[in-house]
Amino acid sequence: MPRTQEQFNQMKDEARQKIMSAALCLFSHKGLSATSIVDIAKKAGVSSGLLYHYFRSKEELFSELVGFAVASSGGFIEEIAGLGLGSAEKIRRISAKMIETLKEDDTTAQYFVLMVKLTLEGDLNEKTTENAKEAAKPVIILSGIIAQGQSAGEVKSGNPYEMAILYWAAVQGLCSYKLVMGENFMLPSAELLSGILIN
Amino acid sequence: MPRTQEQFNQMKDEARQKIMSAALCLFSHKGLSATSIVDIAKKAGVSSGLLYHYFRSKEELFSELVGFAVASSGGFIEEIAGLGLGSAEKIRRISAKMIETLKEDDTTAQYFVLMVKLTLEGDLNEKTTENAKEAAKPVIILSGIIAQGQSAGEVKSGNPYEMAILYWAAVQGLCSYKLVMGENFMLPSAELLSGILIN
Amino acid sequence: MPRTQEQFNQMKDEARQKIMSAALCLFSHKGLSATSIVDIAKKAGVSSGLLYHYFRSKEELFSELVGFAVASSGGFIEEIAGLGLGSAEKIRRISAKMIETLKEDDTTAQYFVLMVKLTLEGDLNEKTTENAKEAAKPVIILSGIIAQGQSAGEVKSGNPYEMAILYWAAVQGLCSYKLVMGENFMLPSAELLSGILIN
Amino acid sequence: MPRTQEQFNQMKDEARQKIMSAALCLFSHKGLSATSIVDIAKKAGVSSGLLYHYFRSKEELFSELVGFAVASSGGFIEEIAGLGLGSAEKIRRISAKMIETLKEDDTTAQYFVLMVKLTLEGDLNEKTTENAKEAAKPVIILSGIIAQGQSAGEVKSGNPYEMAILYWAAVQGLCSYKLVMGENFMLPSAELLSGILIN
DNA sequence: AATGAATGAGAATTCATTCAT
DNA sequence: AATGAATGAATTCTCATTCAT
């Protein structure tokens, strides 16, 4: 997640950035097919023709955004998983980071929501399949952390895979709610989120 | 009338049912605009024209389904909330019911997922706004149960509204995952779900 | 024109009559393609299916009505033309009859308006072409009366064919206005109408 | 901007003009619903999609044309009515102008025919109602001229409103015949037309 | 790089017609 | 005779994509 900003900033081309930012917002809200090229162009403040200088097609723009989403969400989990910490601490860090990034702006929520839309709406081409596989990683990684934590008596008991699914489902649901509820949304504390897995 | 009224109603309902069932499945997966009328008709085994005997437009079909979704999901929560039970017990029952219904078939998951799409994809007409309001009720009701349970020391401490959001976010996320993951999905136990709110 | 009623009455089948009457009204107002079978059936108080017991197609229903229109409007002119009267008197009789029938009800106006739609909207099949030829007769007959009247000094001078066109154009226009203007329409006197050709 | 604003307007107007001209011809002959978008596009030599760059819908295109028709036909009458002339002279001028314009091309006839179709075929929206009111003006204005002319003994006696209706009915009928009869149509002289009101 | 007019394929919708009852 | 559910072809309309400028 923290990479995202850098990655965006690295793009020298301002118009490209504006387009991606507008597209992310619209895709995450309305989905791939409910979002029109004209909508994106209008929101980005450019002409619809220009969009095709930067992206071969609407699908490709979508795909590229999903790629970013998958990479940035997966990345931070792998990073924390790789640290030499206790399982409970890892879960607390993941939760803290998650809540913190969600607090900052809508980008992370949009990325997470996009990842679900990928599977439901996207074409079934190579890139998509690859992305889908990548998107499943966090569940696997978290399963491992949970199993380890249970051995150490730090984590609630239960099927680790089921627990990982519940945890990410909650995160995914929070992202979705954040976009849907607008002003009425309130982010729970990191402790509450960790509480799904840790007593 | 050469045909009895009941026979007509029967037939009418049969085709109507098939259409609604097909539409629920497709809308919950792909969303309103990614689902074509032909897709729905094909899946329902009827001609695309027939769809317009029963529904004025694709939007109206979507809207009617969302209405069902909101009513049926809201209904069971209000029901349990109205029982003379302790808060912890109410939460356990809600969780048990939720998990149980999700186990049965995809309908409930589809309904829950549809409710989110309503806000993101639907037109902003009266019906939609009304539905959206109705869809927010569960969070409110659960907040009340949580607050009461905290007074009785049965429920974890924390902002009740935030906790209710987290809980429903988890439920919502589970429904979404169930549709997305297919075979790879595993439903967590009701205890794990209650565990978000109860120690 | 006076035949019309008889012809209608001769039809034993009540439903057939109701359908034709409804169709005449709708076709004369909205034209062939703007009038739907359901509209006609609804106005006639029957089911749309029944319509196909009496008429092979919408076109045929239209065609049959136009046939009536042509026959009844052409008929009465030929009749008066055949009488042993002076030209001026013939023109006065035609005008008087015309105004009188227009006063009675909308049927005649509807017939005249329909005849124009025939040429503009109808298919170019045999029946239509035949009808179109038939519809041109009144102009020819009136031309003859005018020419004769001019020789006798009873009728204004000018090209008889042009004058006949102007006269029927006025009649046609009156019928059109009668349908369009509704309450605001006022029928001119027969003298005024004859005045187009006679001083 | 790589293209000057004028060039854009030019082009825009070119295609727009071609579409409107084609539509006027088709609508005036076949009416609103018997004319398909594809027909119009084909006749205009553009793609059917382009039509929707310039007009929101077929109805709107129709409506815009009717607006033109009403404005242009009403305009010339008001103009002549406003001149400081005797009533008989005004009627002669109106008739002369009318016949002259009908001689030039089909546009005027198409406009007049369109105005009738407006009331019979158009939606009952604001614009339509407004147009319909405007379309009734010529009758009112001519009534005034007739009444004045009768006081001066220049115009035939009779109810001025009825006479105005007959006059415009004749004009309307001529326009209709011009389109229907094609080669067989012959325009009467302006004197013949004035003769409806003046001896 | 940038524009938006223009295209055409595809989606929604309508409606004449058929048919089982 | 009578019904209206059901069909599918035709029509309106949308929108991703191209292209001349």
Side-chain angles (χ1 to χ4, degrees), chain D residues 158-195:
Chain D
N159 179 316
Y161 185 65
E162 283 175 21
M163 292 170 77
I165 285 181
L166 178 62
Y167 181 87
W168 286 120
V171 169
Q172 164 62 41
L174 283 175
C175 294
S176 191
Y177 270 32
K178 185 167 161 59
L179 299 187
V180 172
M181 297 179 75
E183 292 298 297
N184 296 321
F185 180 72
M186 281 184 65
L187 206 51
S189 68
E191 290 71 39
L192 220 40
L193 183 57
S194 315

Side-chain angles (χ1 to χ4, degrees), chain A residues 10 13 27-28 31 33 47 66 68 75 89 102 108 130 142 156-157 167 174 178 185-186 192 194:
Chain A
Q10 276 167 13
D13 210 312
F27 282 148
S28 65
S33 55
S47 72
V66 171
F68 268 106
E89 185 55 23
L102 283 177
T108 307
E130 192 191 321
L142 185 58
K156 289 186 187 178
S157 57
Y167 182 88
L174 281 175
K178 184 166 161 62
F185 180 72
M186 280 183 67
L192 221 39
S194 313

Side-chain angles (χ1 to χ4, degrees), chain B residues 9-21:
Chain B
N9 289 339
Q10 182 84 35
M11 283 178 55
K12 191 169 173 172
D13 283 340
E14 233 173 89
R16 231 187 118 89
Q17 281 317 317
K18 281 193 290 181
I19 291 168
M20 289 185 74
S21 167

